[in-house]
């Protein structure tokens, strides 16, 4: 380990490790400080690889296969014997995927010449030209390192709420919900956001009766209303009991059960569960990250204050990912990491915050990019929309996936595409077409004039664009053009 680097990254999550690799590619001598110990081993990859995106998707995939094998094969004429799930094996598979990926990141850092310093990083002083960073190894040894540039990438942790204290056995956060040894018979979930819906879906598919409590009056308020409505209908049909406008006021463990008290428009209700998952959001994590004289400004909400290019109030110090404003998403963190490094290198890199995609990996997936119809109206656009149901899409039907819809939102005056929204099979991938179209400032007509392969689910994007002008072919539209 050296005592001086060009660039030190604190945090080895997707934001931090990508920044470190990019910095090494650009010729900076680089260290990445990461303190995480996962299942007894030091681990890179942050929340995303260890307890977030990847393990949740591994469980979503296993549980989907289980459910599909039990309920969907018969109509294809495929019969199976009794189908069983071995939860221990499913968790083992998840763990091995995580291990492979985190080891891969360690290999990438090493291969690029980045020093991974295993322990805590604290920015002692970021004001001068030589920044001071304290590195505290896991054995407690402290070293002061100097760097010309520092990138803060310490990420986030789950928000705990006093009414439902986590005990890691009966009341758990998202990390605990990735480790249930068996599907709880009765499972409560606080929060119908992305994580609540994904983890609730995993355990429902494996046999849990799931109730999801949401304090907000609207389901998926962040999504376009039509998509949220359709998604809510589909998820409820699958058996997720989603209760909006329902505030959990108390959750306590009594004789090995979780007793949950809720307030529904002034009415008190009590329900009992075997496990309760609390996923009400995440907060930026800056514990031990900043020394008393770091000079860094935090916002009221405890985020590190940055400008559009992720520069903090101090020259040469950047902050990225979940630690700063904007959606808490791995791909946003990654892009910010690369932008910060390239800015330090003197380039004009930029993140387009208007085209950051949101995906909820339920089945079917829910995804969107750009403005919803309401957001577009609130911004003063005269809006036109077009939508197309997957129940009329040949490929979706052939796959047994004829549920959901695609919606385009556009500026009626200029025809410019403003947003693409979808609930349906493959939404998380298909929505990238919208992202590319938005980046290239496409019009709805552009989408109408392109030839989409048949039969594909993507054809529904074409039809939704045609429908914006009353021209969808596989739907009856009164307006003719
Ligand atoms: C269950 C779940 C599912 C998710 N699914 C998705 C998804 O599908 N798609 C998506 O885009 N996002 C998803 N997310 C969110 C995603 O994981 C985060 O947005 C992303 O990991 C943020 O990256 P980051 O680099 O900013 O921070 P993190 O990934 O949190 O990494 C920060 C790292 O910094 C380390 N650290 C903190 N302080 C210090 C310090 N002082 N010294 C040294 N190291 C430190 C931490 O140990 C941590 O490993 C999910 C999250 C959860 C919990």
């Amino acid at each position: 380990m050296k005592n001086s680097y060009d660039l030190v990254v604190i945090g080895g999550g997707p934001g931090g490790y990508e920044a470190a690799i990019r910095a090494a590619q650009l010729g900076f001598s680089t260290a990445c400080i990461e303190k995480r110990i996962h299942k007894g081993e030091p681990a890179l990859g942050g929340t995303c690889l260890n307890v977030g995106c990847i393990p949740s998707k591994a469980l979503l995939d296993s549980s989907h296969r289980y459910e599909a094998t039990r309920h969907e094969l018969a109509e294809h004429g495929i019969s199976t014997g009794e189908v069983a799930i071995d939860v221990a094996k499913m968790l083992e598979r998840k763990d091995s995927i995580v291990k492979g990926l985190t080891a891969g990141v360690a290999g990438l850092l090493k291969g690029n010449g980045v020093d991974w310093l295993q322990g805590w990083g604290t920015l002692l002083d970021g004001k001068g030209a030589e920044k001071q960073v304290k590195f505290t190894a896991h054995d407690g040894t402290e070293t002061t390192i100097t760097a010309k540039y520092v990138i803060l990438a310490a990420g986030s942790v789950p928000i705990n709420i006093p009414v439902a204290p986590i005990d890691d056995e009966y009341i758990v956060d998202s990390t605990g919900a990735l480790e249930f040894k068996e599907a709880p018979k009765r499972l409560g979930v606080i929060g119908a956001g992305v994580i609540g819906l994904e983890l609730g879906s995993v355990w429902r598919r494996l046999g849990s009766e799931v109730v999801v409590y949401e304090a907000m009056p609207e389901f998926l308020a962040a999504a376009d209303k039509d998509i949220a409505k359709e998604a809510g209908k589909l998820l409820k049909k699958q058996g997720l009991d989603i209760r909006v406008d329902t505030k959990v006021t108390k959750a306590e463990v009594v004789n090995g059960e979780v007793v949950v008290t809720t307030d529904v428009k002034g009415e008190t209700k009590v329900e009992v569960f075997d496990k309760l998952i609390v996923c009400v959001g995440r907060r930026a994590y800056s514990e031990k990250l900043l020394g008393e004289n770091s000079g860094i400004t935090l916002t009221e909400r405890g985020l590190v204050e940055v400008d559009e290019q992720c520069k903090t109030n101090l020259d040469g110090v950047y902050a990225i990912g979940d630690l700063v404003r904007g959606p808490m998403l791995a791909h946003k963190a990654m892009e910010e990491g690369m932008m910060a490094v390239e800015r330090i290198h003197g380039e004009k890199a930029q993140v387009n915050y208007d085209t950051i995609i949101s995906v909820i990996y339920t089945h079917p997936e829910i995804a969107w990019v750009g403005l919803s119809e309401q957001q577009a109206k609130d911004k003063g656009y005269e809006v036109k929309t077009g939508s197309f149901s997957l129940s009329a899409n040949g490929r979706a039907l052939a796959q047994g996936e004829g549920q959901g819809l695609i919606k385009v939102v556009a500026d009626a005056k200029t025809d410019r595409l403003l947003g693409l929204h979808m609930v349906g099979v493959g939404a998380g991938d298909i929505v990238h077409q919208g992202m590319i179209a938005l980046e290239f400032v496409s019009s709805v007509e552009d989408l109408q004039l392109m030839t989409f392969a048949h039969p594909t689910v993507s054809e529904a994007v074409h039809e939704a664009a045609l429908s914006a002008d009353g021209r969808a072919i596989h739907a009856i539209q009164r307006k003719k053009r």
Side-chain angles (χ1 to χ4, degrees):
M1 187 186 105
K2 301 190 291 193
N3 286 331
S4 174
Y5 290 89
D6 292 332
L7 194 150
V8 168
V9 183
I10 305 179
Y17 83 70
E18 286 214 3
I21 291 172
R22 185 72 191 117
Q25 285 175 347
L26 290 171
F28 293 111
S29 65
T30 307
C32 180
I33 308 179
E34 171 57 64
K35 52 93 178 157
R36 183 177 293 271
I37 305 280
H38 184 71
K39 308 222 166 191
E41 302 277 339
L44 289 160
T47 304
C48 170
L49 260 52
N50 293 283
V51 291
C53 322
I54 298 301
S56 59
K57 268 74 229 174
L59 297 187
L60 278 159
D61 192 65
S62 297
S63 58
H64 176 63
R65 281 167 196 261
Y66 174 64
E67 182 166 68
T69 306
R70 285 175 71 210
H71 301 302
E72 291 171 17
L73 291 187
E75 69 173 282
H76 294 268
I78 303 168
S79 50
T80 58
E82 199 180 320
V83 179
I85 180 82
D86 179 343
V87 174
K89 181 106 188 156
M90 178 182 85
L91 297 184
E92 227 177 86
R93 171 182 178 273
K94 160 189 74 83
D95 291 341
S96 103
I97 292 166
V98 167
K99 207 168 172 185
L101 283 169
T102 54
V105 173
L108 286 172
L109 289 198
K110 197 167 174 209
N112 279 287
V114 175
D115 285 346
W116 169 18
L117 308 185
Q118 298 176 7
W120 292 81
T122 306
L123 179 65
L124 295 177
D125 187 348
K127 296 182 284 292
E130 289 280 292
K131 322 291 178 201
Q132 310 278 314
V133 175
K134 179 173 78 178
F135 166 60
T136 310
H138 289 304
D139 66 5
T141 318
E142 291 183 1
T143 316
T144 300
I145 301 168
T146 58
K148 291 189 195 108
Y149 307 102
V150 173
I151 297 181
L152 305 172
S156 64
V157 288
I159 293 176
N160 293 330
I161 45 173
V163 294
I166 305 291
D167 67 5
D168 285 328
E169 191 179 352
Y170 297 99
I171 307 182
V172 302
D173 58 18
S174 60
T175 301
L178 297 168
E179 301 294 340
F180 291 151
K181 299 280 172 278
E182 58 184 2
K185 187 166 176 330
R186 299 159 303 173
L187 174 64
V189 179
I190 310 182
V194 181
I195 296 175
L197 292 177
E198 291 185 0
L199 295 176
S201 293
V202 165
W203 295 107
R204 183 203 57 72
R205 294 169 189 169
L206 301 182
S208 301
E209 292 156 19
V210 182
V211 176
V212 186
Y213 297 111
E214 172 56 56
M216 302 280 281
E218 233 178 291
F219 174 61
L220 274 189
D224 183 274
K225 273 199 176 63
D226 291 339
I227 299 297
K229 194 167 156 210
E230 179 75 6
K233 213 169 66 191
L234 294 173
L235 294 175
K236 276 187 190 161
K237 204 164 134 203
Q238 293 171 5
L240 270 191
D241 184 353
I242 302 166
R243 316 247 184 97
V244 294
D245 226 345
T246 303
K247 199 165 178 226
V248 173
T249 52
K250 191 171 169 192
E252 55 178 350
V253 180
V254 182
N255 298 329
E257 293 180 319
V258 191
V259 180
V260 174
T261 310
T262 54
D263 176 336
V264 191
K265 294 180 185 154
E267 203 183 306
T268 302
K269 220 176 153 185
V270 176
E271 279 168 296
V272 179
F273 298 98
D274 298 299
K275 303 268 186 196
L276 178 70
I277 311 174
V278 181
C279 27
V280 292
R282 298 180 61 83
R283 64 176 172 84
Y285 182 70
S286 57
E287 218 170 279
K288 297 195 198 172
L289 177 69
L290 304 171
E292 270 175 29
N293 297 316
S294 70
I296 288 290
T297 305
L298 297 179
T299 67
E300 269 175 21
R301 291 178 49 220
L303 301 164
V304 172
E305 196 162 272
V306 288
D307 65 12
E308 278 269 300
Q309 284 79 40
C310 289
K311 190 172 161 306
T312 67
N313 58 309
L314 302 178
D315 279 345
V317 184
Y318 286 70
I320 60 167
D322 285 7
L323 193 59
V324 304
R325 82 283 173 272
M328 288 187 169
L329 291 170
H331 42 289
K332 176 249 188 195
M334 293 170 178
E335 285 306 305
E336 286 183 337
M338 290 200 279
M339 169 177 71
V341 172
E342 289 175 8
R343 286 260 154 190
I344 288 169
H345 192 245
E347 289 156 40
K348 293 260 175 271
Q350 201 151 304
V351 171
N352 184 353
Y353 289 97
D354 293 336
T355 58
I356 293 190
I357 291 174
S358 297
V359 185
I360 306 176
Y361 295 83
T362 44
H363 191 89
E365 291 172 354
I366 306 160
W368 65 91
V369 62
L371 300 179
S372 68
E373 182 176 348
Q374 192 56 49
Q375 286 168 335
K377 284 179 179 161
D378 292 346
K379 280 184 176 278
Y381 286 104
E382 192 185 308
V383 173
K384 69 173 177 181
T385 65
S387 55
F388 191 77
S389 167
L390 292 191
S391 63
N393 175 274
R395 183 69 195 282
L397 287 168
Q399 289 177 301
E401 300 283 0
Q403 48 185 5
L405 66 101
I406 297 190
K407 176 172 174 180
V408 299
V409 175
D411 180 351
K413 280 193 184 146
T414 63
D415 197 45
R416 181 177 165 186
L417 183 73
L418 299 173
L420 181 71
H421 308 263
M422 177 173 177
V423 49
V425 63
D429 285 312
I430 289 174
V431 75
H432 285 75
Q433 299 173 25
M435 185 261 285
I436 293 169
L438 290 176
E439 284 288 350
F440 285 95
V441 199
S442 305
S443 62
V444 171
E445 188 185 27
D446 287 331
L447 292 176
Q448 293 170 347
L449 291 173
M450 290 173 191
T451 307
F452 286 69
H454 176 77
T456 58
V457 179
S458 293
E459 282 177 290
V461 175
H462 191 214
E463 290 271 19
L466 290 168
S467 134
D469 290 322
R471 297 178 42 199
I473 298 298
H474 295 91
I476 310 294
Q477 293 199 289
R478 288 222 184 95
K479 189 175 149 199
K480 303 269 191 295
R481 230 194 86 193

